[in-house]
Amino acid sequence: MEHLSTRGLPRLSWIDTLYSNFNYNNDGYDGDAAEDRKSQDGSETMPFIDESPTMSPQLCARGPDGEAVSPTPPEGLLPGGDIEKGLEMKKLVLSGFLASEEIYINQLEALLLPMRPLKAAATSSKPVLSMEQIETIFYKIQDIFQIHKEFYDALLPHIQQWDDKVTVGHLFQKLASELGMYKAFLDNYKRAVETAEKCAQANGQFQKISENLKVKGPKDSKDLTSTVTMEALLYKPIDRVTRSTLVLHDLLKHTPKDHPDFPLLQDALRISQNFLSSINEEIDPRRTAVTTPKGEARQLVKDGFLVEVSEGSRKLRHVFLFTDLMLCAKLKKTPVGKHQQYECKWYIPLADLTLQTLDDSVESIPHIQTMQEHEIDEMKNKICGLKSDIQKEKTKGQSRVVDRLRKKMNEQESCLLLHSPTIPFRIHNRNGKSYLFLLSSDYERSEWRESIEKLQKKDLQACVLSSVELQVLTGFCFKLRTVHNIPLTSHKDDEESPGHYGFLHVIVHSATGFKESANLYCTLEVDSFGYYVGKAKTRVFRDTTEPTWNEEFEIELEGSQCLRILCYEKCYDKSKLNKIDDDNEIVDKIVGKGQVQLDPQTVQTKNWHMDVIEMNGIKVEFSMKFSSRDLSLKRTPSKKQSGVFGVKISVVTKRERSKVPYIVRQCIEEVEKRGIVEVGIYRISGVATDIQALKAAFDTNTKDILVMLSDMDINAIAGTLKLYFRELPEPLLTDRLYPAFMEGIALSDPAAKENCMMHLLRSLPDPNLITFLSLLDHLKRVAEKEPINKMSLHNLATVFGPTLLRPSEASENSKAHVTLASDIWSHDVMAQVQVLLYYLQHPPITFTELKRNTLYFSTDV
């Protein structure tokens, strides 16, 4: 059984680690008084009780805190054996449950311990609490204690004198029949917690008592006592109802149907399940609301971790959207062993909240702390390196080293998640200032917008919280939250899937369900390093209610587990003007969105898997299949030397009697003519079917190739150019020179690096060199339009570096640098990116000057 928080939720240590390892709190609000204030840490509603038999306390042993845990059954005692083994399993289940009963009785006893002196003081001249308050807080605890003490005393001798004739069903039947006492306790539970909290705030003596209740350990435990809060103990009866029901499932599983216990246990289970069902109906919705001072329910609608821009810096926040207000909070620094608490940074009543539209780029927002692309890639590289090191140390059994490496990886991933979001989401208070968040995807921004706008359709009244009310609400947030985990790899269990690495081929077929004709297109996103990245975009299908795209994309996966599809309507809003160019701003409206988990069994097959995503009444039909990274990037020489793909560049240029292959010249010309301002050019995937059509046209030297190029989507043309270099039988910068490029880029002395890198270019065959210099000049021209196309020199180096340098499979370099499929950001890949980036950042290089220049050293390579 997991360690429980005061409301029975798993207490997740990742938050402690994240906030202690990575500092998000430099925003000048952490005064000592604010940090030391006691949070009003309680819940206004009943927790939902899970009656499903999904977690069983069978074979319980005692954990470090005295709670029962469930080890693996001893060999030979697994379910499904003969009757004798089944009864032995039954005994083990009962023994575990008995052990947990002892702990539960000790907890109830600890809760009752202060009740008698408090009652005595209530009749004295110096009462701590009134008699009414005492009766409210400890309501029915004495009765529940007595029920379980009698049950324990009756069950113990049966287990001590166990044989196949022993019956215990009547004891569980009696226990189930007394659940009415729990009903009375549950009805009073909220009042009990509220009263205890108010009394603790008003009376220091009671506060000290309520925070330091001593619970005896089990008889055979080394730990004599443990300190627990009153609030935590008040929750134990709720937790116990579920526990009793679960153990009945296990007992029935291991009791033969002809055993006298079977019908009695069945009856006890029926009573328990009926009781739980009636309770859950009364207390739904589960843990999502607090009561306002006016007695109205303040429902939690949505919460999540967002990056806020505060005073030019990025801060990690937990944002809570209630039915009447939005609250932005951060976790306070707390001493080890103390409960985590939130600190409210700001709140806005929904009646006063407006959503501001903004140009969708960080560049349009001044004074934001940004990180360069190469720094982002370096972090990814470090994360992958740390993952690899952790796996190595695990095999050696070095737990301390693994913990240290996990801590480092946690820091890197936290920093990456903080600095990677770029899509602005601005919240404005009509009566005050505006607040800016940065999100990783349009999907996420759309979800927040829709949730807020849906709530604002209701008749909302402006609310003003007093400092005490705000403190109480902030205290509730810790228990009401539904998002507990920041998506860091270091927070995942070892058994959790690491995600997929390779290429996902997706065909977006069609969409139905539109009520009016519109200009429609789809975009595709996948998760990568904990945040979502846009990967592909269909062409716009104009003026239709049934778009049929049938477009195929190849999407690179980097530990991805989810595919998102967003459907947009493309339109021009003449009421909005682009602040930069004074042109009509294109306003694309999201008309539907949905996502699908990338199930390993479904995705990793050779065959296409067809699926449908339903979104707001719209259905988008698509197919997908997966291919490994090594297979997709494999350089395969063409068997037909008459084409251009998979044929040595020297053969192609000689045949064409040209210095640069025709395909390279034509693709570059077309991109510069109409794609140089395309957002994400060379990064956004082109339609795979279009790319294959262009490939076939260039291979067969089709006469209509120029017409095809002029009509084709520009991303398909960019994709064709990338595919050409990827499928060269050896890289453009050659297998022979690959080790020297790797050594040259690693040199520290600038002059030595300059000489080496220029000498390596001079060492290339002329067709390779001239083609490389032509591509280099083109990529520089693309990067000049970075403010518009968002493609920096580093972005382009990341796209083209591995394509131009990755060794062929026949090369000894390839065999010497085999990496894991998941090691996308390996040292070699990063070095390949750095080589191209070096030349992109270098002053213009010409073929004539390079060949004429004799200053560079000349040694054999």
Side-chain angles (χ1 to χ4, degrees):
M1 186 172 177
E2 292 177 290
H3 298 272
L4 294 175
S5 70
T6 55
R7 195 59 77 243
L9 295 172
R11 185 174 296 139
L12 301 174
S13 61
W14 65 266
I15 292 184
D16 304 321
T17 309
L18 176 60
Y19 279 82
S20 60
N21 293 344
F22 198 80
N23 182 13
Y24 302 122
N25 301 321
N26 302 323
D27 51 1
Y29 193 69
D30 292 331
D32 292 338
E35 288 294 333
D36 294 336
R37 277 198 308 266
K38 185 180 184 299
S39 171
Q40 308 306 310
D41 195 10
S43 175
E44 285 281 353
T45 56
M46 293 293 303
F48 182 83
I49 301 174
D50 187 358
E51 59 191 278
S52 60
T54 53
M55 293 189 61
S56 170
Q58 60 191 18
L59 301 177
C60 296
R62 294 182 184 91
D65 62 342
E67 287 285 8
V69 295
S70 303
T72 304
E75 188 176 351
L77 291 179
L78 292 171
D82 55 27
I83 293 176
E84 184 179 344
K85 287 183 179 179
L87 291 172
E88 188 63 27
M89 280 294 297
K90 181 180 176 181
K91 178 187 175 183
L92 290 172
V93 172
L94 286 169
S95 298
F97 186 64
L98 189 71
S100 67
E101 273 290 289
E102 181 186 354
I103 294 168
Y104 179 49
I105 290 168
N106 289 344
Q107 291 166 341
L108 293 174
E109 196 171 36
L111 192 55
L112 288 169
L113 196 61
M115 186 179 71
R116 294 184 184 88
L118 285 171
K119 280 187 174 181
T123 58
S124 68
S125 59
K126 294 183 179 180
V128 179
L129 303 180
S130 69
M131 193 63 74
E132 182 183 355
Q133 290 170 330
I134 296 169
E135 293 292 346
T136 301
I137 294 171
F138 298 97
Y139 186 69
K140 296 298 180 182
I141 297 295
Q142 180 67 53
D143 298 312
I144 292 172
F145 170 80
Q146 197 61 41
I147 289 170
H148 283 270
K149 184 69 169 64
E150 291 176 2
F151 173 78
Y152 178 88
D153 291 340
L155 182 61
L156 179 61
H158 286 76
I159 296 175
Q160 290 174 335
Q161 302 168 11
W162 182 261
D163 61 38
D164 59 353
K165 297 179 181 178
V166 168
T167 58
V168 295
H170 60 290
L171 299 178
F172 281 91
Q173 191 181 40
K174 181 184 178 185
L175 185 66
S177 68
E178 293 174 318
L179 284 172
M181 197 65 68
Y182 275 90
K183 177 66 167 66
F185 171 83
L186 291 169
D187 289 342
N188 180 72
Y189 174 75
K190 185 173 74 172
R191 287 185 60 221
V193 172
E194 288 176 347
T195 303
E197 287 176 348
K198 290 176 182 177
C199 291
Q201 294 170 25
N203 189 297
Q205 188 177 352
F206 180 70
Q207 181 181 1
K208 187 175 181 180
I209 292 171
S210 65
E211 291 181 351
N212 295 279
L213 296 177
K214 303 297 182 183
V215 179
K216 291 188 299 184
K219 295 175 184 176
D220 56 350
S221 172
K222 294 180 182 178
D223 298 326
L224 298 178
T225 60
S226 59
T227 303
V228 186
T229 66
M230 180 174 290
E231 187 181 2
L233 291 179
L234 282 172
Y235 181 72
K236 295 301 179 182
I238 298 172
D239 187 43
R240 198 63 192 171
V241 176
T242 307
R243 193 64 175 272
S244 301
T245 307
L246 292 175
V247 81
L248 286 169
H249 282 282
D250 289 331
L251 288 174
L252 278 168
K253 190 190 306 179
H254 300 295
T255 301
K257 290 187 178 180
D258 58 355
H259 193 282
D261 265 348
F262 194 83
L264 299 175
L265 292 172
Q266 269 191 324
D267 188 50
L269 179 61
R270 178 187 58 79
I271 296 170
S272 298
Q273 287 180 325
N274 290 340
F275 173 74
L276 287 179
S277 296
S278 65
I279 292 299
N280 282 336
E281 287 174 5
E282 292 177 17
I283 64 177
D284 251 0
R286 52 181 89 176
R287 276 191 299 272
T288 59
V290 293
T291 304
T292 67
K294 296 180 179 180
E296 300 168 346
R298 175 173 287 136
Q299 196 83 14
L300 177 64
V301 177
K302 181 178 177 62
D303 69 297
F305 292 97
L306 300 181
V307 173
E308 183 187 16
V309 178
S310 176
E311 298 178 359
S313 298
R314 295 168 181 250
K315 309 290 183 182
L316 185 68
R317 304 298 194 211
H318 200 150
V319 180
F320 297 84
L321 178 62
F322 292 93
T323 43
D324 61 340
L325 61 85
M326 174 180 273
L327 185 146
C328 178
K330 74 166 187 178
L331 275 173
K332 295 171 64 175
K333 292 179 180 178
T334 52
V336 177
K338 293 290 185 180
H339 293 313
Q340 286 285 346
Q341 297 175 1
Y342 280 113
E343 173 188 323
C344 177
K345 302 306 298 180
W346 51 263
Y347 80 93
I348 304 177
L350 293 188
D352 297 327
L353 186 150
T354 59
L355 298 172
Q356 293 189 335
T357 56
L358 198 64
D359 188 352
D360 289 359
S361 65
V362 174
E363 287 82 356
S364 66
I365 311 164
H367 312 305
I368 290 187
Q369 177 188 19
T370 57
M371 186 172 282
Q372 297 298 316
E373 286 287 340
H374 69 90
E375 294 177 298
I376 295 284
D377 287 346
E378 283 173 8
M379 276 194 286
K380 292 181 179 180
N381 182 31
K382 288 178 182 178
I383 291 168
C384 287
L386 288 166
K387 285 181 183 177
S388 179
D389 292 342
I390 288 171
Q391 292 303 319
K392 291 175 185 176
E393 295 300 331
K394 278 183 179 179
T395 60
K396 299 177 185 178
Q398 300 291 332
S399 58
R400 288 186 179 179
V401 177
V402 169
D403 289 342
R404 188 166 64 250
L405 290 171
R406 281 188 183 278
K407 183 176 179 181
K408 289 182 179 179
M409 188 166 75
N410 186 299
E411 293 172 358
Q412 290 294 325
E413 288 192 304
S414 300
C415 188
L416 180 62
L417 287 178
L418 196 65
H419 288 89
S420 55
T422 59
I423 297 178
F425 178 49
R426 190 182 290 276
I427 302 294
H428 179 67
N429 187 342
R430 289 194 184 97
N431 303 318
K433 61 183 291 189
S434 297
Y435 302 92
L436 175 64
F437 295 105
L438 297 178
L439 282 62
S440 69
S441 77
D442 211 9
Y443 191 104
E444 188 180 6
R445 178 169 63 175
S446 175
E447 284 188 321
W448 281 100
R449 279 184 181 278
E450 289 171 6
S451 297
I452 292 170
E453 288 169 352
K454 183 178 179 181
L455 291 171
Q456 288 183 326
K457 289 179 181 178
K458 302 175 182 177
D459 183 21
L460 295 172
Q461 300 295 322
C463 58
V464 179
L465 302 183
S466 68
S467 58
V468 174
E469 290 169 352
L470 182 59
Q471 187 181 4
V472 170
L473 179 60
T474 307
F476 285 137
C477 285
F478 192 80
K479 297 185 178 67
L480 297 178
R481 60 187 180 155
T482 62
V483 179
H484 298 268
N485 213 342
I486 298 173
L488 303 185
T489 304
S490 48
H491 296 158
K492 292 183 178 180
D493 296 332
D494 293 338
E495 293 77 15
E496 287 189 62
S497 169
H500 303 280
Y501 292 86
F503 290 87
L504 185 69
H505 301 265
V506 181
I507 301 176
V508 182
H509 296 293
S510 60
T512 57
F514 298 97
K515 296 179 180 179
E516 297 179 358
S517 294
N519 303 323
L520 303 166
Y521 70 94
C522 288
T523 63
L524 281 67
E525 298 178 352
V526 293
D527 54 312
S528 170
F529 289 89
Y531 59 97
Y532 280 83
V533 180
K535 288 288 188 178
K537 174 183 173 182
T538 69
R539 60 170 146 270
V540 179
F541 213 96
R542 299 184 181 280
D543 196 23
T544 182
T545 57
E546 296 185 354
T548 305
W549 295 286
N550 287 323
E551 297 181 34
E552 181 182 342
F553 302 93
E554 183 182 75
I555 297 173
E556 187 173 15
L557 304 181
E558 301 171 299
S560 308
Q561 295 179 310
C562 186
L563 169 69
R564 287 175 169 176
I565 297 181
L566 296 90
C567 191
Y568 289 84
E569 177 185 352
K570 195 175 191 70
C571 57
Y572 286 88
D573 186 346
K574 295 183 179 180
S575 66
K576 295 180 181 178
L577 297 179
N578 189 300
K579 296 178 183 178
I580 299 175
D581 299 327
D582 291 330
D583 295 328
N584 285 344
E585 179 187 3
I586 297 176
V587 180
D588 295 342
K589 176 185 176 184
I590 295 179
V591 292
K593 64 185 187 305
Q595 60 186 9
V596 60
Q597 292 298 123
L598 299 178
D599 177 62
Q601 294 180 347
T602 303
V603 174
Q604 296 190 9
T605 60
K606 295 181 181 179
N607 301 322
W608 286 96
H609 169 72
M610 184 171 283
D611 206 342
V612 174
I613 288 182
E614 296 193 26
M615 44 179 84
N616 300 341
I618 300 165
K619 293 183 179 180
V620 175
E621 189 177 275
F622 66 100
S623 299
M624 59 184 175
K625 72 174 181 178
F626 176 84
S627 63
S628 69
R629 181 175 173 79
D630 291 338
L631 182 63
S632 295
L633 296 181
K634 188 176 181 180
R635 296 186 185 275
T636 307
S638 174
K639 295 179 181 179
K640 295 181 180 180
Q641 292 298 300
S642 59
V644 294
F645 282 82
V647 180
K648 287 186 177 180
I649 197 166
S650 57
V651 173
V652 173
T653 52
K654 185 177 181 179
R655 185 205 309 143
E656 295 177 351
R657 298 180 183 179
S658 63
K659 294 180 179 180
V660 177
Y662 178 70
I663 182 175
V664 175
R665 287 184 280 122
Q666 289 305 127
C667 288
I668 286 177
E669 182 180 327
E670 199 64 34
V671 169
E672 293 192 1
K673 184 189 299 182
R674 59 188 179 92
I676 203 164
V677 294
E678 182 79 11
V679 175
I681 188 69
Y682 289 119
R683 180 179 60 81
I684 299 294
S685 299
V687 179
T689 47
D690 289 348
I691 293 172
Q692 291 303 315
L694 283 171
K695 176 183 177 181
F698 278 112
D699 267 340
T700 57
N701 197 21
T702 303
K703 294 180 181 180
D704 297 331
I705 188 67
L706 292 179
V707 177
M708 286 184 66
L709 284 171
S710 62
D711 291 341
M712 199 67 75
D713 177 69
I714 198 63
N715 287 315
I717 296 170
T720 303
L721 183 61
K722 290 189 294 180
L723 184 65
Y724 169 72
F725 287 118
R726 186 196 299 175
E727 292 194 357
L728 284 173
E730 78 163 347
L732 184 65
L733 299 187
T734 73
D735 286 329
R736 182 176 68 90
L737 295 178
Y738 181 77
F741 277 113
M742 294 298 100
E743 292 175 9
I745 199 64
L747 292 174
S748 301
D749 180 62
K753 181 181 286 189
E754 168 85 2
N755 279 344
C756 180
M757 298 300 281
M758 291 303 119
H759 171 67
L760 289 173
L761 283 188
R762 292 169 59 232
S763 303
L764 286 170
D766 283 0
N768 297 60
L769 175 57
I770 296 172
T771 301
F772 177 70
L773 293 178
S774 176
L775 178 65
L776 206 62
D777 289 341
H778 165 64
L779 295 180
K780 288 181 178 181
R781 288 191 289 272
V782 171
E784 287 174 0
K785 301 294 183 180
E786 180 190 353
I788 303 172
N789 63 32
K790 314 304 180 191
M791 293 302 290
S792 64
L793 289 176
H794 194 278
N795 281 341
L796 293 165
T798 302
V799 171
F800 277 95
T803 301
L804 301 180
L805 281 131
R806 179 182 171 88
S808 64
E809 278 61 34
S811 166
E812 290 299 321
N813 302 312
S814 177
K815 297 173 184 176
H817 297 279
V818 174
T819 57
L820 296 173
S822 62
D823 201 6
I824 294 173
W825 297 91
S826 65
H827 175 74
D828 278 3
V829 172
M830 293 300 294
Q832 292 159 13
V833 171
Q834 290 303 314
V835 168
L836 180 56
L837 184 61
Y838 179 85
Y839 292 121
L840 285 171
Q841 293 174 335
H842 196 279
I845 306 167
T846 65
F847 178 81
T848 305
E849 283 186 10
L850 195 62
K851 287 294 186 180
R852 187 172 60 234
N853 197 329
T854 58
L855 294 176
Y856 304 114
F857 64 78
S858 176
T859 60
D860 291 335
V861 179

